[in-house]
Amino acid sequence: MANQTNLAKGKRRSESLPGDNGDVVVLHRGEVKKRRGEKEENKWKHIKDKKLRGQIVQREKLFGEAAETATKVQQWLLPSEAGYLEAEDLEDTRHFSQEAIVKEVDVTSARKAFDLQLPDLGSYTVDYNSNGRFLLLGGRKGHLAMMDWKKSRLMMELQVRETTRDVKFLHNETFFAVAQKKYVFIYDRKGVEIHCMRDHIQPLKLEFLPHHFLLASVDKAGILRYQDTSTGTLVAQHRTHLGRGGVLRMNPYNSILGLGHSNGTVTMWSPNMSTPLVSILCHRGPVTTVAYDLAGVHMVTGGMDGQVKVWDVRKYLPLHTYIAPTTPKALEISQRGLIAVGCGSKIEIWRDALATKQVKPYLSHRLAKGAQVEDFAFCPYEDVLGTGHSAGISSLLVPGAGEPNFDTYVANPFETWKQRREAEIQRLLNKLPPDTIALDPNTIGGILRAGNENQKAKLALSEEANKANAIAAGKEVKEKKKMKGKNKPSRRHKKKQLNVITAEMQIKRDLMAKQKSDSKKPTTTVEVNDTSLPLALERFKRK
């Protein structure tokens, strides 16, 4: 419900809003007044039972506090709403150019769109830190730079004079990793080399697992390595046996790594197993790029066959297939589910493409002078797409891409150095061990059931899913008639069998009748002096 107070030109204005429990919440000068919960004791004086009257007053007080809390949450914590471009009449949003979008937005948003022309230093890879405040650039020919892109301030610039293939921020902006020609190097925010990881030989791609403090890399030989950045130990080293691996992406939901291979398969890995958890044949040619959404439900893959496929990770089945103009080089999914596809010099943004099959893209952009797309990164909590290409860096405005409301406990774009220090300590204290990485993280801390119980639970879930699909498709759902009591099918079958007379049944009936007749005969007492006693009772015979 809308609950913000509008005070314009010093005028006094109030709004009365319905509460969750049917009462009216009155907003006046930013204050919240409730009809229930304040001075309600006089209202319940007619109740003679003191205990009942106290319970009612306490409950009314809780109702009032809940209404006040809900009003404050909606007023202060969720002030912004996400918006998309809307076309009028016969217009189409995919024909809107970046120049036209920049002209219509405010000055602050217009400054977020820029181009950095760096054609002499090779193709660039980009990465944003967790709160989206800092941008890291890595050129193919050794150029490294970090900048506070919102303020257009250069924080660090470095030339390592050797090939750099990928860059990645670690737990915050104070450290970042670079996949150079021979090893992985760690630098601080001033460009000082901190560490050289000699176990990571000829790395191609990097990924950082923030909840586990693990840095993962894949090299030319197809070896996947996990390095703990808090202790410096090598956690795991897996051989994929699938050749060169140049595609590596983390699923943010469960921290599972997805690797794309030249045989068209995508394998999912964890540091706990030396074999892939899942292997999916996605394309008929080599896989060129992979991306996951934040919920971990959908996976988008691009292949050399010119197809972009959307997969349901829960069932490992393809949902939609899109045909790209050329081989897709880069893929990225925003916080609100927008898909960015880079093919050559053309960039397409697709809206609602995960849930349903779309006919046309939401936005389209072509890079100047035929520059080739190399890497994508959506800025967290901003409607900005950072693009690294062969001619430099481009920042594009994509309305509706970022989450408008941020949680300061997760990421704070306006954090101070003290808040960053405390957040770093909290992350170290809450660090998860590598053993907790699994396909279903909800199984951790649960009860280990028997095999038959798991099978019954899966059958029940499948029946519910089939029933929901049938209802959604408009089909009639026939429920099984479960009979209980004397009229159950099993009991009716037994009754029918009792009426059938067979030879065995007749013999059993004769035997039962004979036993019954023998039991009715009078029993004779056995005298002790009888000479016909059995041997077991001879010792009790009177002499």
Side-chain angles (χ1 to χ4, degrees):
M1 67 184 172
N3 53 7
Q4 294 185 356
T5 305
N6 296 323
L7 298 177
K9 299 182 181 180
K11 293 182 180 180
R12 183 174 181 178
R13 182 178 178 183
S14 300
E15 295 184 16
S16 28
L17 305 169
D20 295 337
N21 47 16
D23 298 294
V24 176
V25 180
V26 180
L27 300 183
H28 175 64
R29 291 184 179 273
E31 298 178 357
V32 180
K33 295 185 179 181
K34 305 165 293 300
R35 184 174 294 174
R36 299 179 72 172
E38 292 186 0
K39 298 181 180 180
E40 295 285 345
E41 297 179 0
N42 298 330
K43 184 178 179 180
W44 309 106
K45 274 190 174 182
H46 63 280
I47 300 178
K48 296 181 181 180
D49 192 346
K50 293 183 180 180
K51 184 177 180 181
L52 178 60
R53 184 169 66 244
Q55 290 177 352
I56 293 175
V57 171
Q58 182 65 20
R59 186 175 61 181
E60 295 296 322
K61 183 179 179 181
L62 293 177
F63 284 156
E65 292 177 356
E68 183 178 357
T69 303
T71 306
K72 288 181 178 179
V73 166
Q74 294 187 1
Q75 182 177 2
W76 301 111
L77 297 184
L78 302 174
S80 302
E81 295 181 359
Y84 297 96
L85 289 176
E86 294 183 1
E88 296 180 355
D89 299 333
L90 299 178
E91 292 181 338
D92 197 347
T93 55
R94 60 177 172 175
H95 297 148
F96 293 168
S97 63
Q98 285 293 311
E99 292 78 7
I101 296 175
V102 169
K103 288 181 181 178
E104 298 298 330
V105 299
D106 58 295
V107 178
T108 306
S109 300
R111 291 178 180 174
K112 298 176 183 178
F114 59 87
D115 286 330
L116 296 179
Q117 297 297 328
L118 302 168
D120 299 332
L121 299 176
S123 301
Y124 275 82
T125 56
V126 296
D127 187 35
Y128 290 96
N129 67 329
S130 59
N131 57 21
R133 184 174 175 180
F134 296 93
L135 173 64
L136 182 63
L137 318 175
R140 184 75 177 179
K141 296 183 180 179
H143 179 226
L144 302 176
M146 184 173 66
M147 58 184 296
D148 187 350
W149 67 276
K150 292 184 179 180
K151 297 181 180 179
S152 301
R153 185 177 63 179
L154 185 65
M155 305 293 295
M156 179 274 302
E157 190 172 14
L158 179 66
Q159 177 58 253
V160 296
R161 297 183 181 275
E162 68 177 6
T163 303
T164 59
R165 302 184 181 93
D166 197 11
V167 292
K168 186 65 63 176
F169 273 114
L170 299 186
H171 55 280
N172 55 25
E173 70 276 4
T174 55
F175 298 100
F176 62 91
V178 181
Q180 296 182 198
K181 182 178 181 181
K182 195 172 182 180
Y183 303 116
V184 174
F185 289 84
I186 305 296
Y187 298 91
D188 66 356
R189 62 185 305 171
K190 295 182 180 179
V192 179
E193 181 183 328
I194 302 298
H195 187 61
C196 173
M197 297 182 177
R198 299 186 182 275
D199 293 329
H200 300 253
I201 304 172
Q202 295 181 344
L204 296 178
K205 282 291 181 179
L206 300 175
E207 273 294 340
F208 182 71
L209 283 61
H211 301 296
H212 306 81
F213 277 74
L214 294 178
L215 179 65
S217 71
V218 61
D219 59 13
K220 291 183 177 180
I223 301 176
L224 178 64
R225 297 180 176 90
Y226 290 86
Q227 186 92 24
D228 193 331
T229 58
S230 61
T231 60
T233 58
L234 186 66
V235 175
Q237 181 173 337
H238 303 321
R239 293 182 178 271
T240 61
H241 301 287
L242 293 172
R244 179 188 177 98
V247 179
L248 177 66
R249 186 60 63 94
M250 180 192 69
N251 188 341
Y253 172 68
N254 50 18
S255 299
I256 295 292
L257 294 181
L259 273 70
H261 305 282
S262 58
N263 60 354
T265 60
V266 173
T267 55
M268 300 182 186
W269 297 79
S270 76
N272 309 318
M273 292 184 62
S274 59
T275 57
L277 303 176
V278 179
S279 181
I280 309 174
L281 180 60
C282 297
H283 296 274
R284 296 182 179 179
V287 178
T288 56
T289 178
V290 177
Y292 293 91
D293 66 337
L294 288 180
V297 176
H298 297 98
M299 176 181 71
V300 184
T301 61
M304 196 72 76
D305 54 359
Q307 293 183 351
V308 177
K309 293 185 178 181
V310 180
W311 297 78
D312 191 339
V313 182
R314 298 168 296 182
K315 299 186 294 184
Y316 309 112
L317 294 175
L319 299 178
H320 321 297
T321 302
Y322 299 91
I323 304 300
T326 58
T327 302
K329 178 65 176 176
L331 281 174
E332 187 70 15
I333 302 177
S334 71
Q335 291 177 321
R336 296 187 62 83
L338 269 65
I339 304 177
V341 183
C343 304
S345 61
K346 188 176 183 180
I347 301 171
E348 291 182 348
I349 313 295
W350 292 80
R351 176 184 172 185
D352 299 331
L354 296 176
T356 57
K357 179 71 178 291
Q358 299 298 317
V359 179
K360 56 186 178 180
Y362 170 58
L363 284 175
S364 181
H365 178 73
R366 189 172 292 276
L367 298 174
K369 299 180 181 179
Q372 301 296 305
V373 176
E374 178 68 22
D375 192 18
F376 276 150
F378 274 105
C379 181
Y381 311 105
E382 293 286 349
D383 294 342
V384 173
L385 174 63
T387 306
H389 48 82
S390 58
I393 303 296
S394 296
S395 181
L396 309 178
L397 295 183
V398 183
E403 178 64 38
N405 303 294
F406 59 88
D407 187 355
T408 55
Y409 287 98
V410 178
N412 185 9
F414 308 101
E415 68 179 1
T416 61
W417 67 273
K418 289 185 178 180
Q419 292 173 341
R420 187 200 68 210
R421 180 187 61 188
E422 296 299 325
E424 187 174 3
I425 295 173
Q426 289 292 334
R427 288 175 184 173
L428 284 171
L429 292 175
N430 298 330
K431 172 190 169 185
L432 299 176
D435 299 339
T436 59
I437 299 177
L439 284 174
D440 186 8
N442 296 323
T443 57
I444 299 174
I447 299 174
L448 183 61
R449 298 179 180 178
N452 55 355
E453 293 182 0
N454 289 330
Q455 190 174 3
K456 289 180 181 179
K458 289 180 180 179
L459 287 175
L461 290 175
S462 63
E463 289 177 0
E464 292 179 2
N466 293 334
K467 183 179 178 181
N469 293 335
I471 294 174
K475 299 180 181 178
E476 295 184 1
V477 180
K478 295 182 180 179
E479 296 184 358
K480 292 183 179 180
K481 188 177 180 181
K482 297 182 179 180
M483 305 292 292
K484 293 184 178 180
K486 296 182 179 180
N487 203 23
K488 288 196 300 183
S490 58
R491 292 206 174 186
R492 282 184 290 173
H493 180 70
K494 287 182 179 179
K495 288 180 182 179
K496 290 181 180 179
Q497 294 298 322
L498 291 175
N499 297 328
V500 179
I501 299 176
T502 60
E504 294 180 358
M505 185 67 68
Q506 189 64 33
I507 294 172
K508 287 182 180 180
R509 287 182 180 181
D510 295 342
L511 183 61
M512 290 175 63
K514 185 178 180 181
Q515 291 177 354
K516 189 175 181 180
S517 62
D518 293 342
S519 63
K520 289 182 179 180
K521 291 181 180 180
T523 56
T524 57
T525 57
V526 180
E527 295 183 359
V528 180
N529 295 328
D530 192 2
T531 57
S532 62
L533 289 176
L535 294 176
L537 298 177
E538 284 290 336
R539 59 194 182 97
F540 297 104
K541 185 177 180 181
R542 290 181 182 180
K543 297 179 180 179

